[in-house]
Amino acid sequence: MTPVGARPLVLVVEDEPALATLLRYNLEKEGFAVDEAADGGEALRRLAEQPPDLVLLDWMLPTLSGLEVCRQIRRKPETRSLPVIMLTARADAQDMVRGLNIGADDYVTKPFAMATLLARVRALLRRAGPAPAKETLSFADIALDQETHRVSRGGRAVALGPTEYRLLEFFLRHPRRVFSREEILDSLWGATIHVEPRTIDVHIRRLRKALNGEGEADFVRTVRAAGYALDTEEP
Ligand code: CA
């Protein structure tokens, strides 16, 4: 999400290179920062790596349709309220209803006038309000600064690998909630990338090792047959 004063970031998901270029050119001219993805799978990866302020999402895409991408955006807590405008060549009202039902905020039919699209982008961003500032997430004596990516425990700096960082960030956003390995995988990598669920155990182990100093409590709770949670004590 965008820090105050920075340009809002728009993720353009479009498999036609000419249209993607045209969109980028016009959005940048309007003062937006632009990120691009040429297919559905790439869109989910870009969303996880660099969360935008708004998504322009083509309906017909290789690997994963725009509808499926939108469905996944709405399923994840981190992107649930992310503004999405669907772009489509289908002028069918039935399709429009389907797109909006799946959670798109707005819907633009190709071919469209660039001025119209830009007006819809601005309107939707206004409606969505300013993006929440990056904050420090904390639990007990653990703190994670989303701005600087620094993690500490009881004031002591904790060095984490990128995956362990995202894992901890995910737990800190939903403290005390139990997540299955599949849910954690889905949230960290997206459903399109196949990662063995047991991989999570390896990252959990690394996270614990980095977080827990001598004699310190282990807040990463293993819930037998269910998964993991960030919690203060065994039930
Ligand atoms: Ca397309």
Side-chain angles (χ1 to χ4, degrees):
M1 262 155 269
T2 315
V4 179
R7 296 181 301 160
L9 177 65
V10 176
L11 174 63
V12 173
V13 187
E14 171 59 66
D15 59 320
E16 289 167 51
L19 183 54
T21 304
L22 189 68
L23 284 166
R24 174 188 278 277
Y25 172 79
N26 283 280
L27 285 163
E28 285 179 345
K29 215 171 71 181
E30 286 289 304
F32 296 101
V34 177
D35 194 9
E36 278 180 46
D39 65 63
E42 197 189 346
L44 293 178
R45 283 194 295 280
R46 296 308 305 145
L47 281 164
E49 281 165 22
Q50 196 181 9
D53 297 289
L54 182 141
V55 184
L56 283 181
L57 184 58
D58 186 27
W59 181 306
M60 301 294 280
L61 289 169
T63 70
L64 205 62
S65 76
L67 269 194
E68 187 48 38
V69 172
C70 189
R71 193 176 285 132
Q72 297 208 24
I73 286 174
R74 290 297 172 249
R75 235 179 43 198
K76 286 179 198 152
E78 307 85 81
T79 52
R80 190 156 290 154
S81 55
L82 181 64
V84 176
I85 299 179
M86 299 254 348
L87 304 178
T88 179
R90 303 162 180 239
D92 197 318
Q94 274 302 105
D95 281 338
M96 190 182 90
V97 169
R98 242 178 106 208
L100 293 176
N101 274 346
I102 224 75
D105 297 282
D106 204 350
Y107 187 97
V108 175
T109 306
K110 292 176 183 177
F112 49 82
M114 196 53 75
T116 307
L117 180 73
L118 292 171
R120 305 278 275 272
V121 168
R122 278 192 301 265
L124 185 53
L125 278 175
R126 259 200 312 276
R127 229 156 71 205
K134 288 185 178 177
E135 49 178 351
T136 298
L137 303 171
S138 65
F139 183 85
D141 59 351
I142 300 166
L144 180 149
D145 185 333
Q146 294 183 298
E147 194 78 63
T148 60
H149 280 224
R150 287 212 176 94
V151 176
S152 66
R153 172 141 194 206
R156 156 181 65 86
V158 173
L160 295 179
T163 305
E164 287 71 39
Y165 176 88
R166 280 162 64 207
L167 188 58
L168 180 63
E169 190 179 35
F170 176 71
F171 278 135
L172 286 169
R173 284 207 194 108
H174 320 278
R176 295 191 179 82
R177 220 177 107 188
V178 179
F179 292 97
S180 69
R181 289 177 179 81
E182 287 74 17
E183 284 173 315
I184 296 171
L185 277 176
D186 212 31
S187 217
L188 262 59
W189 282 280
T192 43
I193 300 159
H194 180 78
V195 182
E196 190 57 42
R198 291 281 154 188
T199 308
I200 285 297
D201 299 354
V202 175
H203 294 296
I204 290 278
R205 208 152 50 229
R206 287 190 195 148
L207 178 62
R208 278 183 171 138
K209 202 170 161 224
L211 273 183
N212 303 343
E214 189 70 40
E216 284 178 327
D218 183 9
F219 293 137
V220 184
R221 182 157 69 92
T222 305
V223 184
R224 204 170 293 276
Y228 295 101
L230 189 67
D231 214 339
T232 39
E233 56 199 297
E234 296 292 329

